[in-house]
């Protein structure tokens, strides 16, 4: 079954909405690492350091995923036919 047609404008707007998410996550990871708290106790500090690193890694992954998806949405919007009523080349090849 062929995939459902998607409005290219909706794909572009979704991609545009993902870009600020990536930037926010990137900035959040950087700010978190710049604000590294110190607690004094060695064992507590080690646990806190690992936790801060994990959260920063998670934020960096959100950035990477949002950036990747935004790019895919842009490419998909270019691949979508401009007239949804007109069949694309794949439909003509099968006929």
């Amino acid at each position: 079954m062929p995939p459902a047609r998607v409005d290219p404008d909706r794909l572009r707007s979704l991609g545009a909405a993902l870009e600020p998410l990536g930037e926010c996550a990137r900035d959040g990871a950087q700010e978190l690492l710049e604000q590294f708290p110190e607690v004094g106790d060695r064992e507590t500090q080690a646990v806190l350091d690992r936790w801060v690193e994990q959260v920063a890694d998670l934020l960096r992954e959100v950035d990477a995923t949002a950036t990747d998806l935004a790019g895919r949405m842009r490419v998909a919007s270019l691949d979508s036919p401009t007239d949804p009523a007109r069949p694309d080349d794949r439909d003509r090849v099968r006929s």
Side-chain angles (χ1 to χ4, degrees):
M1 182 156 92
R5 297 193 190 280
V6 179
D7 180 17
D9 291 334
R10 292 185 76 188
L11 291 173
R12 281 189 290 274
S13 65
L14 178 58
L18 287 169
E19 288 173 356
L21 172 65
E23 291 172 13
C24 183
R26 184 180 329 119
D27 293 345
Q30 187 62 35
E31 287 179 29
L32 180 64
L33 293 173
E34 289 172 357
Q35 307 277 336
F36 228 82
E38 292 185 26
V39 294
D41 180 59
R42 180 178 286 168
E43 291 176 18
T44 305
Q45 186 68 47
V47 170
L48 181 61
D49 291 350
R50 284 192 301 271
W51 183 84
V52 167
E53 286 292 335
Q54 286 177 340
V55 173
D57 287 344
L58 175 63
L59 289 170
R60 286 189 287 259
E61 189 59 36
V62 168
D63 171 33
T65 301
T67 301
D68 180 55
L69 287 174
R72 289 174 186 255
M73 294 299 116
R74 277 193 301 278
V75 169
S77 72
L78 297 173
D79 289 342
S80 296
T82 55
D83 182 6
R86 192 185 89 219
D88 65 7
D89 292 335
R90 290 174 288 190
D91 293 337
R92 283 192 288 253
V93 171
R94 280 190 232 145
S95 297

